[in-house]
Amino acid sequence: MSTAVGRPSSPGRARRRPVRALVELLPPFAVALALLPYVISYGTARPWRPSTIDLQVYVYAVHDMLAGKDIFATHTPFWNLYFIYPPIAAVLMVPLAIGPYVMWQVIWTAVLVLAQQSVLRRCGVPRGWKLALLGVAVVLAVEPIRTTLGYGQVNTMLMALVVADLLPDRPGIRRRIPQGSLVGLAAAIKLTPLLFVVFLFLIGRRRAAITGAISFAVFTGIGALVLPQETLSFFGGLSGGDTRTASPLYSGNQSLLGVFFRLGDSSRTTTLLGLAMAGIVALLGALVAAQWWSRGEKVFAVALVGLCTCLASPLSWTHHYVWILPMAVAVVTASIPRWARYLAGAWVLWVCACLPLAVLPYGGGRERTFDALQQTVANLGPVLGVLLVLGLAVQLLVGARASAPLRRSDAPRTPAPAA
């Protein structure tokens, strides 16, 4: 029995869903597991020991938290990396304290691949074997996705939360979780998704924006209840400019502030100017994205806001630019101006190549000695992103001005009074 002409019954569709999910997930997951030991230095394939150094930070921080130690004093052996996220992130990662590390390397990789495939599916990629093949290509060729897997980072997971909140799996499906909740959760773990709360206001989803703000406050509050001193330390240090990691000067930092540091200096004036310009670009990008959302180009709009979160953050490593995933889909499928398609496509390819880390010397202040060509390589990615946002803003402004006289000329005229 079927529910509609030419459509298989619901039980039949339900039985095929697990098979389709395996088809879509297993190929990229298998490739990711095979590739993982080769992504980050000092990994080995035999025995299988990937160098998932960020996942190691999370595990050490959770163990220290459960032992009553300060998670911001946690650092890993050999790499000497510190936990730099809001305390709620450590609270949510408590399950990492259970079981062997290698088990979590496999589980973490599976969740990252699931998140990647979820984003592609919600952006409109056809399901089944096409989604599987594209997922394999993404793991192999897209540097932010590949290195997020290699490091054991959270970037793809957070993007998936935001995309799930904004782009439904199927049009018209009823939400089980209020819109905005997942955006707030992502922002509580890593502050940059807060720009999506602003975006929700701009597209008229005020209830969702308020929900996102409340969700962020609730999760942050839970972190404060569990780890009050660490929460004060985190936000107090952040307000004073302490990012607890490398200098913005580093070539791998592809934020606007990094560009200002590399082309200028590391003074407080440069820092404030760079952050101010980053804030302006972020707000402008959200405004532009809201216009494209209203035109029905929702994937492109979400990708633009994601791009701006990376430009605006004081520190955006190359692997933070996972937002090139929806941008790449939009370049192929969205009805956008030809120049924007070419520019966005060039940006996607540039980020995938990751030339700043592939061909430049970096670390130890070497960026201060860059010549003009090296500066171009180090800064072209953020510059292309800013040019895309500014170009779209100018085009929208020109279009609005051009249509204004037409709207006035179409208005009904009041007849002149009789003499």
Side-chain angles (χ1 to χ4, degrees), residues 156-330:
T156 315
M157 298 180 195
L158 300 184
M159 175 176 62
L161 289 175
V162 172
V163 169
D165 224 349
L166 291 168
L167 302 176
D169 193 10
R170 294 184 299 277
I173 191 171
R174 184 176 180 181
R175 293 181 177 273
R176 294 186 178 92
I177 301 174
Q179 188 177 31
S181 302
L182 299 180
V183 167
L185 171 58
I189 296 171
K190 194 171 186 178
L191 302 179
T192 51
L194 279 173
L195 185 60
F196 282 96
V197 175
V198 177
F199 175 68
L200 285 167
F201 268 111
L202 294 175
I203 62 175
R205 305 284 179 91
R206 295 186 177 182
R207 178 177 294 180
I210 293 171
T211 300
I214 293 173
S215 174
F216 168 77
V218 167
F219 281 108
T220 302
I222 293 172
L225 286 174
V226 177
L227 299 169
Q229 188 57 47
E230 287 84 347
T231 300
L232 288 173
S233 175
F234 175 82
F235 285 100
L238 195 65
S239 65
D242 181 14
T243 57
R244 296 175 51 81
T245 185
S247 166
L249 178 66
Y250 169 54
S251 296
N253 178 25
Q254 293 291 290
S255 71
L256 265 183
L257 182 60
V259 175
F260 274 76
F261 266 55
R262 287 187 290 271
L263 295 180
D265 54 36
S266 305
S267 67
R268 181 170 178 80
T269 300
T270 299
T271 301
L272 293 176
L273 181 60
L275 290 176
M277 291 301 297
I280 291 171
V281 170
L283 181 57
L284 185 62
L287 288 166
V288 170
Q291 292 299 312
W292 283 101
W293 179 278
S294 68
R295 297 182 180 190
E297 299 297 344
K298 296 183 177 181
V299 174
F300 185 54
V302 170
L304 277 175
V305 180
L307 159 64
C308 289
T309 64
C310 293
L311 292 174
S313 175
L315 298 171
S316 290
W317 309 141
T318 58
H319 58 268
H320 291 167
Y321 277 87
V322 292
W323 291 100
I324 69 170
L325 216 55
M327 183 65 80
V329 175

Side-chain angles (χ1 to χ4, degrees), residues 22 56 74 329 368 385 419:
L22 288 175
Q56 187 183 44
T74 298
V329 175
R368 288 279 174 235

Side-chain angles (χ1 to χ4, degrees), residues 57-59 61-62 65 71-72 83-96 108 154 158 185-191 219-220 222-224 226-227 231 234-235:
V57 174
Y58 308 153
V59 171
V62 167
M65 178 182 67
I71 58 174
F72 294 130
F83 186 83
I84 62 172
Y85 293 95
I88 183 59
V91 175
L92 294 172
M93 292 176 183
V94 162
L96 293 176
W108 203 265
V154 296
L158 300 184
L185 171 58
I189 296 171
K190 194 171 186 178
L191 302 179
F219 281 108
T220 302
I222 293 172
V226 177
L227 299 169
T231 300
F234 175 82
F235 285 100

Side-chain angles (χ1 to χ4, degrees), residues 138-161:
V138 165
V139 169
L140 292 172
V142 180
E143 191 273 348
I145 298 295
R146 185 177 65 250
T147 50
T148 288
L149 286 162
Y151 285 121
Q153 258 280 354
V154 296
N155 308 314
T156 315
M157 298 180 195
L158 300 184
M159 175 176 62
L161 289 175

Side-chain angles (χ1 to χ4, degrees), residues 119-127 299 329 333:
V119 169
L120 289 172
R121 186 181 73 243
R122 291 173 184 273
C123 288
V125 173
R127 302 204 61 174
V299 174
V329 175
T333 63

